[in-house]
């Protein structure tokens, strides 16, 4: 399928970049010219060929570099990956889901062979060839969740379901938008969403929880979230704040196009069959402003969304102080023409 | 937003008479593929075409969740019921093609429990058979207390004893054997979770005893599927779809809505899960709330109804469906 993996960094010299093809398939999150919170969930069914929705778990040109960055984060701070003792079975469920999906969707990159509980996993891009016994932790170099999420882009959390609530009790979180697994682990659904402004008043979380408690195996759902990040830093964690916090004060009209990034999370939710837990993959996509505006529709629309966003949301997402600079830059790409419905780029 | 997982087209592989009241059915996929994995305590909805009447009854999966070659359920014949169990007993034969819904678990084990105390009455044993298989494979601690009317009706008791030895305790009503619940509850280690599945009276007794003994509410789990009761036919106005339907004496409101070609959400069809909750736009009469989902206040307000089990008596009922 001709996927070529970039050699790039998400720290230090920040050589991360999107190829023109990666820009066109970027999951632009705005389907209209304004934005407000909603329970914006839809079935996670295979999308059009070439989009990030084509497969259950998208593998793109950043795969190997993202996995290298994850290994660096974990080496510095092992607490980014935690699993409470009762979540091991959910970890196996997740391992099975990811291995089966990738082997089915990318047969030239991944293979999974099963003989009863004797499994053989081949990850060609990462040069991994592993035989192990399903449900036997001693046959893998890490616990099942850590093992497979060191080989899968995006963050992952596992939610146990009990007492009509969801409890975040395991996760691999190294590419997060300013939240901490170590802080949140053990919290219930409303607790870990407590910092989000406005959505509680709208009843969004009550409805979302009610919906998720009934999520069925085999019927995953997805939603988007988004924010802004200065420089292509995947690990914008609270633990790491001294590294990235000050960069918010370094944005100027001259560098906003090359340093400000739209950060989009494609979040999917999957009921896990053996544990009855819910897996929550949070896949992060980054795009520089000067890459994004090469799609004229997106340049026009992002200008309008950012200009008109309620101040609470811009503050929560951490870019209120740079909003004027961002809007001035984006205004140059907004000629006032109407935008077409939906988020897809217009045909060239 | 849809919650619908794909349904499973199956062939009936085996029908086994377990005792005078219970038959076991084993289903395999028509395409020969593996069944989806599931967790102990899950149920499936079995779709039946009973000579033109569509019946959809939930049954607990009782097989080993690790066995992906087929699903097993046990059905207790209910002579006074609406006909689903009678159809299963009298008409379902090996080789027949049927359709199952995807597994849903409304009676999950709490994975944090130090010990699982399982209390079953009669056919209520079925979810525990799957749960014990899963716990055994994962090294979980459990003990089962299983009561039946008499030895002949103690389905699966010998097999469970053979598999789990003295972790299985049996009781027979006609031998005047009673579970000594106060002693049992008093003797459990801290961190034990209690699960009960069986007749309504037993569930109430176990829950009340646990509460009286000071067990935290979150450590006591029960599953009680209600069969939709039979009743007097009634008429309903479906405002959103512009249809007026009549619900037959042995038909549920949900079944009547479906028979009219109106799509309605559901999962358990037994008044437990809340998925089919529907807004009542107008009501001149009395709603017979038979579900475990709505609160007493909601029931009294007459603004919501669970069409899977609840009925209506009166002049006008208008639903937002």
């Amino acid at each position: 399928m001709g996927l070529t993996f970039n050699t790039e960094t998400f720290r230090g010299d920040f050589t991360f970049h999107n190829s023109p093809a990666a820009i066109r398939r970027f999951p632009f999150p705005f389907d209209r010219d304004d934005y407000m919170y909603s329970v914006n969930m839809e079935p996670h069914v295979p999308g059009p060929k070439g989009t990030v929705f084509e497969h259950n778990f998208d593998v793109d040109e950043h795969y190997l570099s993202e996995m290298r960055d994850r290994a660096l984060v974990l080496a510095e701070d092992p607490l980014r990956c935690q699993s409470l003792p009762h979540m091991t079975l959910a970890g196996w469920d997740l391992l099975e889901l990811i291995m089966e999906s990738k082997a089915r969707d990318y047969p030239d990159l991944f293979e999974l062979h099963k003989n009863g509980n004797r499994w053989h996993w081949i990850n060609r891009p990462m040069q991994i060839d592993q035989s192990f016994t399903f449900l036997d932790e001693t046959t893998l170099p890490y616990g099942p969740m850590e093992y497979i999420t060191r080989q899968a882009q995006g963050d992952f959390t596992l939610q146990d379901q009990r007492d009509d609530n969801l409890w975040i009790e395991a996760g691999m979180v190294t590419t997060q938008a300013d939240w901490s697994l170590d802080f949140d682990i053990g919290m219930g659904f409303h607790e870990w969403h407590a910092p989000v402004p406005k959505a509680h008043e709208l009843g969004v979380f009550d409805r979302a929880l009610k919906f998720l408690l009934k999520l069925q195996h085999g019927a995953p759902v997805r939603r988007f979230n988004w924010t802004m990040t200065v420089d292509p830093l995947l690990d914008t964690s609270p633990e790491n704040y001294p590294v990235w916090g000050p960069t918010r004060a370094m944005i100027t009209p001259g560098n906003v196009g090359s340093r400000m990034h739209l950060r989009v999370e494609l979040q999917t939710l999957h009921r896990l069959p053996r544990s009855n837990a819910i897996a929550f993959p949070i896949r992060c996509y980054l795009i520089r402003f000067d890459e994004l505006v090469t799609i004229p529709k997106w340049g026009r629309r992002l200008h309008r969304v950012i200009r008109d966003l309620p101040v609470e949301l811009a503050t929560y997402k951490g870019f209120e102080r740079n909003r004027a600079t961002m809007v001035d830059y984006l205004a140059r790409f907004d000629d006032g023409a109407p935008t077409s419905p939906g988020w897809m780029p217009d045909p060239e | 937003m849809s919650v619908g997982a794909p349904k499973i087209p199956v062939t009936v592989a085996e029908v086994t008479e377990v005792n005078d009241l219970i038959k076991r059915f084993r289903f395999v996929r028509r395409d020969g593929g593996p069944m989806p994995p599931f967790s102990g305590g899950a149920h499936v909805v079995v779709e039946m075409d009973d000579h033109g009447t569509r019946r959809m009854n939930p049954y607990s999966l009782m097989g080993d969740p690790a066995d992906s070659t087929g699903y097993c359920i046990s059905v207790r014949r209910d002579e006074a019921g609406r006909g689903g169990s009678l159809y299963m007993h009298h008409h379902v034969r090996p080789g027949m093609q049927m359709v199952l819904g995807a597994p849903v678990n409304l009676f999950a084990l709490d994975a944090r429990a130090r010990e699982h105390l399982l209390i079953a009455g009669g056919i209520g044993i079925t979810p525990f058979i799957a749960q014990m298989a899963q716990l055994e494979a994962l090294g979980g601690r459990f003990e089962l207390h299983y009561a039946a009317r008499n030895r002949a009706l103690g389905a699966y008791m010998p097999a469970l004893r053979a598999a789990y030895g003295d972790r299985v305790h049996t009781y027979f009503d006609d031998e005047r054997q009673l579970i000594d619940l106060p002693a049992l509850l008093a003797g459990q280690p801290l961190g034990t979770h209690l699960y009960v599945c069986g007749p309504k009276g037993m569930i109430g007794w176990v829950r009340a005893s646990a509460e009286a003994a000071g067990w935290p509410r979150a450590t006591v789990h029960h599953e009680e599927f209600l069969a939709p009761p039979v009743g007097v036919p009634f008429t309903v106005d479906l405002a959103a779809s512009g249809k007026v339907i009549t619900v037959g004496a042995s038909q549920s409101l949900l079944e009547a809505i479906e028979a009219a070609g109106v799509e309605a959400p559901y999962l358990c069809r037994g008044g437990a899960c809340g998925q089919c909750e529907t807004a009542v736009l107008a009501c001149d009469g009395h709603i017979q709330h038979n579900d475990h989902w709505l609160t007493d206040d909601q029931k009294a307000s007459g603004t919501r109804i669970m069409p899977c089990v609840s009925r209506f008596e009166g002049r006008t009922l208008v639903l937002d469906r």
Side-chain angles (χ1 to χ4, degrees), chain B residues 210-256:
Chain B
E211 191 176 349
W215 284 54
R217 188 179 285 266
T219 63
V220 181
H221 313 266
H222 71 286
E223 172 147 79
E224 184 185 6
F225 281 161
L226 304 163
V230 298
V232 180
F234 59 97
T235 301
V236 180
D237 195 338
L238 303 180
S241 41
K243 293 186 177 179
V244 176
I245 61 170
T246 299
V247 183
S250 67
Q251 193 180 29
S252 74
L253 171 53
L254 177 60
E255 288 165 346

Side-chain angles (χ1 to χ4, degrees), chain A residues 48-309:
Chain A
K49 198 167 162 46
T51 67
V52 302
F53 311 113
E54 182 180 357
H55 301 306
N56 213 357
F57 295 95
D58 181 42
V59 177
D60 68 10
E61 65 186 25
H62 308 296
Y63 178 45
L64 290 180
S65 297
E66 285 188 27
M67 293 300 96
R68 273 193 293 271
D69 195 68
R70 165 156 293 162
L72 291 172
V73 174
L74 288 170
E76 287 170 10
D77 184 358
L79 291 178
R80 303 302 185 82
C81 179
Q82 297 188 47
S83 177
L84 299 187
H86 63 282
M87 298 303 285
T88 304
L89 183 60
W92 284 110
D93 274 328
L94 179 68
L95 174 141
E96 177 184 46
L97 176 66
I98 293 175
M99 285 187 177
E100 286 192 340
S101 299
K102 287 192 168 183
R104 179 189 65 231
D105 296 337
Y106 300 91
D108 53 337
L109 302 181
F110 305 95
E111 288 179 34
L112 178 64
H113 305 281
K114 296 182 185 178
N115 179 10
N117 276 352
R118 291 291 304 158
W119 291 20
H120 181 200
W121 165 247
I122 298 169
N123 176 339
R124 217 159 264 125
M126 292 183 74
Q127 301 177 322
I128 290 170
D129 186 309
Q130 178 83 43
S131 292
F132 64 99
T133 304
F134 187 66
L135 300 178
D136 181 353
E137 275 188 278
T138 63
T139 60
L140 284 176
Y142 306 99
M145 179 193 70
E146 178 168 1
Y147 178 77
I148 196 58
T149 56
R150 281 176 177 266
Q151 303 176 43
Q153 289 168 273
D155 286 343
F156 294 82
T157 66
L158 298 176
Q159 278 72 230
D160 194 23
Q161 178 164 335
R162 57 177 190 269
D163 311 335
D164 290 327
N165 205 338
L166 296 172
W167 306 86
I168 179 169
E169 290 177 333
M172 166 68 87
V173 180
T174 68
T175 68
Q176 68 277 55
D178 199 8
W179 72 278
S180 164
L181 174 71
D182 192 41
F183 185 77
D184 282 5
I185 195 161
M187 287 187 184
F189 190 81
H190 287 89
E191 289 175 305
W192 84 73
H193 283 115
V196 183
K198 279 188 177 285
H200 292 274
E201 292 89 322
L202 296 170
V204 165
F205 293 120
D206 290 332
R207 274 178 288 144
L209 176 60
K210 199 170 171 179
F211 174 77
L212 291 175
L213 291 173
K214 299 289 150 50
L215 187 69
Q216 272 188 283
H217 175 53
V221 296
R222 66 177 171 236
R223 68 178 291 267
F224 281 121
N225 198 7
W226 65 276
T227 188
M228 296 288 169
T229 300
V230 178
D231 299 330
L233 185 67
L234 286 172
D235 179 24
T236 49
S237 57
E239 290 90 340
N240 212 12
Y241 188 79
V243 174
W244 58 270
T247 61
R248 290 174 173 177
M250 298 175 187
I251 290 299
T252 65
N255 67 18
V256 62
S258 61
R259 290 192 72 177
M260 189 60 81
H261 292 68
L262 174 62
R263 180 185 192 106
V264 174
E265 292 175 350
L266 171 57
Q267 306 177 343
T268 56
L269 291 133
H270 310 253
R271 172 72 65 192
L272 298 175
R274 292 176 178 77
S275 59
N276 203 43
I278 287 180
F280 185 43
I282 309 157
R283 174 65 181 276
C284 171
Y285 293 88
L286 291 167
I287 189 168
R288 280 202 320 263
F289 270 27
D290 61 14
E291 290 173 333
L292 184 139
V293 298
T294 62
I295 307 291
K297 172 178 166 178
W298 293 354
R300 290 186 187 106
R301 180 167 289 169
L302 188 63
H303 169 243
R304 296 167 200 181
V305 169
I306 298 303
R307 182 191 61 199
D308 300 337
L309 196 73

